[in-house]
Amino acid sequence: MIPAPLFSAQNLVKHFRLKGGLLGSSRGVVRAVDNVSFDLAEGETLGIVGESGCGKSTTARLIVDLISPDAGTITLGGKLLGKHISARELRRQIQMVFQDSYASLNPRLTMEDAIAFGPKVNGMSPQQAARLAHELLERVGLEPRRFAGRYPHELSGGQRQRVNIARALAFSPKIVVLDESVSALDKSVEAQVLNLLADLKAELGLTYVFISHDLNVVRHMSDRVMVMYLGQVAEIGTVEAIYSAPAHPYTAALLSAMPSMDPDRRTMEAPLTGDPPNPINPPAGCRFHTRCKHADTICAAVEPGLFGLPGEGHQVACHIHIPGSNHRNRGVEA
């Protein structure tokens, strides 16, 4: 029997209204997340990739309930958010590490106080919270005697991000959402933080949602990958399936843009041209059809749902793979 997922998001929708019309009326809505569904198994890392504006960060904020969805449900450990589990309890079990390591920390708090703040607010004594902060600093590779009394401006970017990771672990969460958490670091420091994350996952049994624009890093860190385009899921599957046999033309274009040291694999032409359509007024049908070399009549008329492919949980939203779609390239690889 397949075990129940640790976390499940079903049909999540988040639209942001634009103000500025006559007498403060709305000028439309940005469809940041539009009917997104996925599951997380305990102990896995789900990578989320896509161009800027595809909805990755909005999805991350929905996962941790920093913003509320307009529609859809979130379930953690079989408990439905808002019915069987409160937002406060959800946030204790799902923590987030943001991209900007400096803006994430209060400049007036020492590193010890920054890590201890959350536990103290939730009832832990100051002495216990201070001990916990020192333990977590030690765990993320920062000597407490050197770093506990320092302020954010006294640390490097990599050190600050280690503190943010320690702060996220203060509640012993089940899931940690990492939103471009290493993208602002130079490569040597990035490698150290990635190794730290891998070690913490193994030691503590954590589950990660890893959001990044670096496809090589996502490949290294993830068990499964979810590809997003203009607020929707284009493809989801194991790392092996996505990177070796991408089924969606958008996924194939993203992967072909990855830099390679092999001179025989040089990119001679742009794999993808043009900007994504306006999320205020996305195209009908498949949202990628305006940039897709395989686009057919049905692509502009009918929105494809996620269709299961052979392989473990491999799904794609493309008419090429949907039986009975009558796409002219039906069955052709992306």
Side-chain angles (χ1 to χ4, degrees):
M1 186 174 70
I2 300 175
L6 172 63
F7 176 92
S8 180
Q10 295 297 318
N11 309 116
L12 291 182
V13 174
K14 185 61 183 179
H15 295 169
F16 295 100
R17 294 196 174 278
L18 295 175
K19 299 296 184 180
L22 185 64
L23 300 178
S25 61
S26 174
R27 294 190 294 114
V29 295
V30 176
R31 300 173 181 271
V33 172
D34 231 356
N35 199 31
V36 168
S37 299
F38 62 92
D39 293 334
L40 278 174
E42 187 170 2
E44 80 164 337
T45 298
L46 175 69
I48 303 181
V49 300
E51 292 171 288
S52 295
C54 71
K56 304 188 299 293
S57 292
T58 302
T59 300
R61 283 156 176 77
L62 290 171
I63 292 172
V64 297
D65 199 46
L66 283 179
I67 55 177
S68 300
D70 299 327
T73 60
I74 288 176
T75 306
L76 177 63
K79 297 179 179 179
L80 186 65
L81 175 62
K83 186 175 182 181
H84 303 125
I85 185 171
S86 67
R88 181 179 181 133
E89 179 60 26
L90 180 92
R91 294 185 190 121
R92 287 176 60 91
Q93 298 191 45
I94 306 178
Q95 289 287 302
M96 187 166 176
V97 179
F98 297 88
Q99 176 179 357
D100 192 330
S101 63
Y102 187 78
S104 300
L105 295 169
N106 187 328
R108 295 181 178 84
L109 293 182
T110 64
M111 298 303 94
E112 177 185 311
D113 291 336
I115 298 170
F117 181 81
K120 284 194 292 187
V121 168
N122 283 268
M124 187 177 287
S125 71
Q127 295 79 12
Q128 287 178 308
R131 283 197 298 271
L132 176 62
H134 283 229
E135 291 171 6
L136 290 172
L137 283 171
E138 187 82 46
R139 184 166 289 240
V140 298
L142 297 176
E143 171 57 48
R145 285 178 296 180
R146 291 181 56 202
F147 293 97
R150 293 191 185 184
Y151 290 88
H153 70 275
E154 298 178 292
L155 275 65
S156 68
Q159 291 168 342
R160 286 194 296 266
Q161 204 61 299
R162 287 173 182 264
V163 172
N164 284 316
I165 293 169
R167 188 176 60 171
L169 298 177
F171 289 109
S172 301
K174 295 179 179 178
I175 300 171
V176 178
V177 179
L178 302 147
D179 186 10
E180 299 279 11
S181 56
V182 297
S183 63
L185 308 177
D186 65 55
K187 286 301 176 183
S188 60
V189 177
E190 177 186 80
Q192 295 171 11
V193 174
L194 291 175
N195 288 334
L196 169 65
L197 291 171
D199 291 342
L200 290 171
K201 179 185 175 183
E203 292 171 15
L204 303 176
L206 296 171
T207 300
Y208 288 153
V209 176
F210 189 84
I211 298 171
S212 178
H213 66 276
D214 190 328
L215 295 173
N216 282 312
V217 170
V218 170
R219 184 175 195 171
H220 172 70
M221 291 292 294
S222 304
D223 301 301
R224 290 190 301 135
V225 178
M226 183 168 77
V227 182
M228 293 188 66
Y229 183 79
L230 211 64
Q232 296 184 332
V233 178
E235 187 171 1
I236 186 169
T238 63
V239 166
E240 294 77 13
I242 296 293
Y243 280 78
S244 62
H248 198 287
Y250 177 62
T251 307
L254 281 182
L255 296 179
S256 64
M258 291 173 61
S260 173
M261 299 296 289
D262 186 350
D264 295 328
R265 297 184 59 195
R266 288 179 295 179
T267 301
M268 303 305 293
E269 62 180 61
L272 195 60
T273 59
D275 295 324
N278 191 335
I280 300 174
N281 186 27
C286 174
R287 294 186 177 182
F288 185 62
H289 83 266
T290 57
R291 305 168 74 193
C292 181
K293 63 182 179 180
H294 300 294
D296 200 3
T297 305
I298 190 173
C299 300
V302 180
E303 181 178 306
L306 282 172
F307 176 75
L309 298 174
E312 185 182 349
H314 193 179
Q315 295 179 297
V316 62
C318 180
H319 288 296
I320 291 176
H321 301 280
I322 299 176
S325 68
N326 295 320
H327 191 288
R328 59 183 168 85
N329 290 334
R330 167 89 178 92
V332 176
E333 292 186 2

